[in-house]
Amino acid sequence: MHAQDVDTKLRGPAVWALVLTGVAGFMAALDNLVVTTALPAIRADLGGGLEDLEWTVNAYTLTFAVLLMFGAALGDRFGRRRLFIAGLAVFTGASAAAALSPGIDALIAARAVQGVGAAVMMPLTLTLLTAAVPAARRGMALGIYGAVTGLAVASGPLIGGSLTEHISWQWIFWLNVPIGLALIPLARLRLAESTAPGARLDVPGTLLISGGLFGIVYGLVNATSEGWTSTPVLSGLILGTALVAGFVHHGFTNADPMLPMRLFRDRGFLGINLASLLMFLGMFGSIFLLSQFLQGVAGYSPTEAGLRMLPWTGMPMIVAPLAGILSDRIGGRPVVAAGLAFQALGLGWFAAVLSTDVSYAAQLPPLILSGIGMALYFAPAANVLMSTVTPADQGRASGTNNALREVGGALGVAVLASVFSAQGGYESPQAFTDGTVPALWIGAAAVALAAALALLVPGKPRSAPAPTPTAPPPAAVTPAAVTPASVPAPASGSGSGSGSADKIAVVG
């Protein structure tokens, strides 16, 4: 009886933590792609050009990316539950502001504030969940959390399209409000508070990377409308690049930076992170254009467009478990590289068949191939990443990878939209197709380069030779043995994001 009582006490807080953090993570992940199928309706209602639509997506992903590790460090220093609730409140309020936006500029501003809330909330979901779940059940809980956030990404275009068609585009934001209002008091009552004494905030690093990425994306987004040689565009690109270079220098010279650049000296860490950035660059930029193509050129309703994207965005839910088993047998490197190659082939196939009268039957094979590729990439990516660093660096490694993925998504929308606007536009179905095709080829090339970079990751280590009878078997731990599942989350320590981010073992 006593054992059962103990088990019940352990299960209750863990279940509450899983539900609360899972729902919060679902909302934050959903808002990455939920807006894509609503873009034509937003443009028709609020006006604005291509650059405004780009910022509607990028305002969220950029603030999310550059503040993610800083948000984790804030939770370490001032209380994880307190900052989780604060981030949730900001995200909920910004969602309401986005729904009430009277114009496109107000919507972009609200989306930026949404990203700030998500950047504080999202990394702390995993910290709070890890702290509440016993070590013996942590793998299962993190697996459920990962599946929930994966479902949010898969269903984003469909949910956005359905709400836009059957109610209004504003409801893709209103949806967050009642959920957020319900979560705030429950989080206060059901989640335990914790801090990491001595945690430091890397304010200079945060300012450098925030300003640098904003300048680069601003230049890319406005290059077509204002000209590549215009003063605002050149200033943004040059100043942004200089600030990013300053961030890199800061990461080498500062005693406790947000992102220690020494990690990139490992070719495996460098390869998997550059591959992740390029994969999201190609994927996000392509989805941004194809979701509009399906409505503006192919003539589908928002709901129909969302449904037709599912073979791509939803395929990881089916294939990822099989990909995980495969990676355990042959190693993560060939699976990740093959997945990226499939994704590149799918995008290239799409570019080859796209026309104003293309049938969905012709689109289905590249959609499925891209979806399989995405699944093969996602399943082993976190394990491959963690195998390149020591347990002490796993938190920063995962936080870095999360941030670079979001940066890749923002750059993808900016770069591919620049190609689109240079070669086509919204004037007619043919003009839209003319702009989309070369953009997809650029996306395919970016993901193909990612596949090549993935080969930098060390392969699965060979089995050690059998020891001789005269010598005891050596005790050694290979880097590949250090996985998110096998290493318990380290205790919080000093450094930006080293407490909260140390426990980010699942990439949502």
Side-chain angles (χ1 to χ4, degrees):
M1 178 70 71
H2 179 69
Q4 290 179 343
D5 290 342
V6 172
D7 191 56
T8 300
K9 291 178 181 178
L10 291 174
R11 188 179 298 123
V15 169
W16 273 110
L18 179 58
V19 170
L20 294 174
T21 59
V23 174
F26 183 91
M27 287 197 303
L30 183 71
D31 272 58
N32 266 316
L33 288 179
V34 72
V35 76
T36 54
T37 41
L39 289 173
I42 292 173
R43 182 168 178 265
D45 193 13
L46 299 182
L50 175 64
E51 61 271 19
D52 297 308
L53 297 184
E54 293 177 64
W55 280 116
T56 303
V57 177
N58 282 346
Y60 180 82
T61 55
L62 262 186
T63 52
F64 191 3
V66 300
L67 296 176
L68 188 146
M69 297 180 76
F70 189 71
L74 284 174
D76 282 351
R77 183 165 186 176
F78 298 110
R80 292 155 184 155
R81 182 186 64 184
R82 180 181 295 116
L83 265 295
F84 172 76
I85 293 172
L88 186 57
V90 170
F91 183 85
T92 303
S95 296
L100 294 170
S101 297
I104 193 71
D105 292 338
L107 176 60
I108 292 169
R111 287 282 287 167
V113 178
Q114 255 193 322
V116 173
V120 174
M121 173 179 70
M122 192 69 168
L124 297 178
T125 58
L126 282 169
T127 312
L128 293 165
L129 178 60
T130 302
V133 176
R137 296 177 187 152
R138 197 168 291 153
M140 178 187 68
L142 292 174
I144 294 172
Y145 177 94
V148 168
T149 52
L151 179 63
V153 173
S155 60
L158 177 58
I159 291 175
S162 298
L163 290 173
T164 298
E165 180 179 352
H166 298 294
I167 309 178
S168 71
W169 65 262
Q170 285 88 348
W171 275 91
I172 65 176
F173 302 115
W174 281 127
L175 178 68
N176 296 326
V177 176
I179 298 174
L181 291 176
L183 288 179
I184 289 171
L186 287 173
R188 177 66 181 83
L189 294 172
R190 297 294 181 178
L191 296 177
E193 182 62 281
S194 63
T195 58
R200 299 177 182 176
L201 302 177
D202 185 6
V203 177
T206 301
L207 293 175
L208 284 170
I209 193 62
S210 301
L213 289 174
F214 176 80
I216 291 171
V217 173
Y218 175 86
L220 291 172
V221 167
N222 292 280
T224 302
S225 61
E226 299 189 22
W228 285 97
T229 58
S230 66
T231 301
V233 169
L234 281 179
S235 299
L237 293 174
I238 294 172
L239 182 59
T241 302
L243 290 175
V244 170
F247 175 75
V248 172
H249 181 265
H250 175 78
F252 277 118
T253 58
N254 191 270
D256 194 14
M258 173 196 302
L259 177 56
M261 290 297 158
R262 60 178 172 77
L263 296 176
F264 288 97
R265 292 171 179 160
D266 183 283
R267 67 183 180 90
F269 184 83
L270 176 67
I272 191 63
N273 278 290
L274 288 179
S276 296
L277 185 147
L278 288 169
M279 187 271 188
F280 269 67
L281 188 154
M283 182 191 70
F284 259 72
S286 299
I287 290 177
F288 173 78
L289 293 173
L290 287 173
S291 60
Q292 297 181 73
F293 175 89
L294 289 172
Q295 295 178 64
V297 178
Y300 296 117
S301 69
T303 303
E304 291 170 338
L307 281 170
R308 281 161 175 77
M309 295 286 284
L310 278 179
W312 185 0
T313 59
M315 189 61 67
M317 303 296 293
I318 302 172
V319 179
L322 300 176
I325 295 171
L326 183 63
S327 68
D328 287 339
R329 292 187 177 181
I330 67 173
R333 180 180 68 175
V335 179
V336 168
L340 292 168
F342 283 174
Q343 178 83 80
L345 286 172
L347 291 176
W349 191 342
F350 232 124
V353 302
L354 214 62
S355 66
T356 55
D357 57 353
V358 63
S359 67
Y360 184 66
Q363 299 174 54
L364 191 56
L367 282 169
I368 294 174
L369 185 61
S370 296
I372 293 173
M374 190 188 299
L376 291 176
Y377 161 80
F378 275 128
N383 196 15
V384 168
L385 173 75
M386 294 306 176
S387 72
T388 65
V389 296
T390 64
D393 285 325
Q394 284 189 355
R396 279 179 171 146
S398 188
T400 299
N401 192 257
N402 271 306
L404 285 175
R405 291 181 180 196
E406 296 293 331
V407 169
L411 290 175
V413 172
V415 170
L416 268 63
S418 293
V419 175
F420 166 85
S421 59
Q423 301 294 322
Y426 288 97
E427 294 81 13
S428 66
Q430 187 61 55
F432 196 97
T433 305
D434 290 342
T436 302
V437 169
L440 290 180
W441 282 119
I442 296 296
V447 182
L449 178 57
L453 288 168
L455 297 177
L456 292 174
V457 177
K460 189 175 183 179
R462 298 175 181 176
S463 300
T468 61
T470 58
V477 178
T478 64
V482 181
T483 67
S486 63
V487 179
S492 298
S494 64
S496 301
S498 62
S500 299
D502 277 348
K503 302 179 180 69
I504 304 179
V506 177
V507 182

